[in-house]
Amino acid sequence: MSVISALPFLKPIHQRPPRSSPGRQRRHTLPASEFRCLTPEDAISVFEIEREAFISVSGDCPLHLDEIRHFLNLCPELSLGWFEEGRLVAFIIGSLWDQEKLSQDALTLHKPGGTTVHIHALAVHRTFRQQGKGSILMWRYLQYLRCLPYVRRAVLMCEDFLTPFYRKCGFKVQGPCEVTVGSLAFIEMQYPVRGHAFMRRNSGC
């Protein structure tokens, strides 16, 4: 059993099935809502959501398709997808980093010895926005990171207008990020991952 399937807060959200008549055969259906780590097979769905979410706002994507596949091959356990009836509706992709501050290398590298999770991207499908799904997915992801004993903190870089959203998720501003993409400048934010022993005792980790 994978770590993610053992955590109560990452198990599927099942809706109570409607009552059926005794003579009606039982149909097998996908869970109404499911959270799981992503795989390389999810890369195209991830990229389609990311491209639509970011291109119109920033003009570029945090990760291109080959980079998504790269991270989902190297560290799929640091990703999380939200699926509704088998369809990807939101995702987070992360990798490990081993420096105090993010640098340009952090955009493409995974450092297996690192204790910092660099969150590359969080995006929600356009038809599922304005429903709080981004906040819920981030909460579940951060709770999941608490069960990984090697993780000490999570960091991300975002444009200034997104800092209120991440503040509400528990992140704190660290200052201007050293990384730039074209003319875009970013703010670096951090979330301390604490309580490993407590979470492992109380969540089945």
Side-chain angles (χ1 to χ4, degrees), residues 49-61 126 129 159 161:
I49 294 174
E50 181 200 34
R51 181 174 55 186
E52 191 280 328
F54 285 93
I55 289 290
S56 61
V57 176
S58 303
D60 198 5
C61 294
R126 63 181 179 276
R129 290 178 197 150
E159 292 181 75
F161 73 93

Side-chain angles (χ1 to χ4, degrees), residues 34-137:
E34 178 188 19
F35 297 85
R36 66 165 172 82
C37 292
L38 298 168
T39 69
E41 287 70 33
D42 298 310
I44 292 177
S45 296
V46 167
F47 183 62
E48 288 175 349
I49 294 174
E50 181 200 34
R51 181 174 55 186
E52 191 280 328
F54 285 93
I55 289 290
S56 61
V57 176
S58 303
D60 198 5
C61 294
L63 297 172
H64 294 159
L65 182 57
D66 58 338
E67 294 166 335
I68 292 170
R69 288 182 171 135
H70 171 72
F71 287 120
L72 293 186
N73 273 295
L74 285 179
C75 48
E77 72 282 0
L78 297 176
S79 68
L80 183 61
W82 185 340
F83 294 81
E84 294 279 359
E85 297 182 348
R87 176 190 183 190
L88 182 67
V89 301
F91 72 87
I92 291 175
I93 291 181
S95 66
L96 287 177
W97 184 241
D98 60 358
Q99 303 294 324
E100 183 65 25
K101 288 281 193 178
L102 294 174
S103 70
Q104 211 71 29
D105 285 342
L107 300 182
T108 56
L109 296 182
H110 169 61
K111 298 284 192 173
T115 59
T116 295
V117 171
H118 172 206
I119 298 174
H120 294 271
L122 159 65
V124 179
H125 191 282
R126 63 181 179 276
T127 59
F128 293 88
R129 290 178 197 150
Q130 305 303 316
Q131 300 175 24
K133 279 184 163 53
S135 299
I136 294 170
L137 183 64

